[in-house]
Amino acid sequence: MTSKLEQLRSMTTVVADTGDIEAVARLKPVDCTTNPSIVLKALGTDAFKDAFQEAITWGKAKGGKDDAVIGAIADRMAISVGAALAALVPGRVSTEVDADLSFDTKASIDKAHQIIAGYKERGIEKDRILIKLASTWEGIRAAEVLQKEGIDCNLTLLFSKAQAIACAEAKVFLISPFVGRILDWYKKSTGEDYTSETDPGVVSVRSIYNYYKANGIGTIVMGASFRNAGEIEALAGCDRLTISPQLLDELNAAEGTLKRALSPDSVKAEPHVSLDEKAFRWAMNEDAMATEKLAEGIRGFAKDLGTLRGQIAKALAA
């Protein structure tokens, strides 16, 4: 019998959530996703030691140590990680806009343009890249503009159906609802344990998937942030799933039948909803979990980005 990973590949596009070059080469995902935390970790490995030094040398040649130069060096390092991953996968690589721009639409658009230009300098066209943006109102508006320009976006830190609906209306290419972080919040809030079927993160993604398919919405649903293989199995059949190397290995070693849990052929009818800014913000206000996890996620990514910038500043001064 084939492994559960191979069975999953037959019904879902498998994406690796990592900057680990060796793991990507071994596990052969279609796409790769990164974020500031993943980039920071990758740059601390031997695989990217030269890329880190190259970016520092490049930055020194720019003749400055101000915030703009440090930011440009950080972008260059993130693109180095993304370019290495793009050389290994046949599909897309997601690269994230700075977390501290999550509430600035124009700055997010400008940063996305810089990222795309950085990849183009390395011979990697925009059709191989997804620009990751936090699913704030401002991030969704930035994605709407970028999509019209032909730059596909991955809206991340998505915890609610309201965020998913707003992304669909902006014609976003792909969304990344965070399964595990939703589970984390509910376990802490209620003190309860959940099965794969009752897992609030799984339930959330299934609801979003049903809404999209019932209304003919083309935005791709890519479940993310998994805490265990059971969550992944409970979403088998979802458009895409981005999975850590540890859980990919676990699925690769697992035998038994993997049943399809989601299919566009078995969705239930659901009315279409439209959200303006006022309705979106109220829906988020009413959802404590989504509001808290979105803010926490932005703070976490901003912290790791700040750590990277600190390392760059130290290297420039050396």
Side-chain angles (χ1 to χ4, degrees), residues 285-300:
N285 180 73
E286 292 296 279
D287 189 334
M289 178 276 295
T291 297
E292 292 173 20
K293 298 306 288 186
L294 173 60
E296 178 185 85
I298 291 171
R299 287 195 301 270

Side-chain angles (χ1 to χ4, degrees), residues 5 7-16 28-32 90-92 174 220-223 226 232 235-243 248 260:
L5 178 58
Q7 293 175 68
L8 181 65
R9 291 185 198 275
S10 71
M11 60 186 90
T12 291
T13 298
V14 174
V15 179
K28 295 179 172 52
V30 174
D31 296 346
C32 276
R92 309 268 195 139
L174 179 149
I220 294 166
V221 180
M222 182 172 74
F226 294 106
I232 297 167
L235 292 173
C238 192
D239 299 332
R240 301 186 191 188
L241 297 174
T242 182
I243 307 168
L248 285 171
R260 184 166 190 144

